[in-house]
Amino acid sequence: MNALANRVTPSITTMIRMDHSHVLALFHRYRPDSSASRKRALVTNACLALEVHAQLEEEIFYPALRSTMSEDPIFQKSEPEHAEMRRLIGELRERAAAATVGDLPYDDKFLELMRIVIHHVADEETTLLPMAERLLGIEILSQLGAQMTRRRVELMKPHAGEFVVTAARSFPVGAAAGAALLAAGAIAIGASLAPKRRKTVRRYARPRM
């Protein structure tokens, strides 16, 4: 069963790139003149995605690289950059709780988060992910991808409703990227919540001639 899961699950580097694409798509839709409700949906979805993504990397991806890349300067600053992202996410949530969504400081704080994330993504896409693919090989990357999938479902389950709702508000109706992301999320969440079914074989008596 595990071998089958490893074959059908994307590799961990593919999943990380998909996470990057999702967050960058949210960033591209943020406009200073957007309504407060749209800004709230974009920021909420991006922050949830970033928090889950950072935890998955810290628990699964970075430990796999530590033995061979511990001295790499880009690797060394990855977790401190995650900490800075979390700090900004906390400040954005405080402003949202104080009903100051949409004002200039809120925009500036989210744009600051965007700058850090885009720089972080560029480092991973050009250094850490290619290095992982050279050093670890497809079998290990697939195993790590399956592990990340299971852990993602656990982390997302408490926020599944909020994530799907804010994603629907963030992406225009009919947008291919939004539809694909929502479908993928629904499949993952549905698979985690659905009861396991046992296959049953019905035996029918042959009619007598």
Side-chain angles (χ1 to χ4, degrees), residues 171-179:
F171 293 98
V173 175

Side-chain angles (χ1 to χ4, degrees), residues 107-126:
D107 287 341
D108 289 344
K109 192 65 62 178
F110 190 60
L111 293 174
E112 184 180 354
L113 178 64
M114 286 173 60
R115 286 192 293 272
I116 291 172
V117 171
I118 289 170
H119 177 76
H120 182 79
V121 166
D123 281 343
E124 287 196 342
E125 297 263 356
T126 60

Side-chain angles (χ1 to χ4, degrees), residues 32-68:
D33 59 351
S34 296
S35 67
S37 61
R38 181 166 173 78
K39 287 181 179 180
R40 188 187 299 274
L42 288 163
V43 173
T44 298
N45 197 270
C47 289
L48 283 172
L50 286 169
E51 287 178 318
V52 169
H53 176 79
Q55 187 166 344
L56 289 170
E57 286 191 329
E58 291 167 8
E59 290 183 6
I60 301 170
F61 184 54
Y62 293 164
L65 295 179
R66 188 159 284 122
S67 61
T68 54

Side-chain angles (χ1 to χ4, degrees), residues 66-86:
R66 188 159 284 122
S67 61
T68 54
M69 293 192 66
S70 60
E71 302 302 318
D72 185 276
I74 291 179
F75 180 79
Q76 289 178 343
K77 67 187 181 74
S78 294
E79 290 191 67
E81 286 177 349
H82 283 179
E84 180 65 8
M85 291 178 209
R86 290 188 177 103

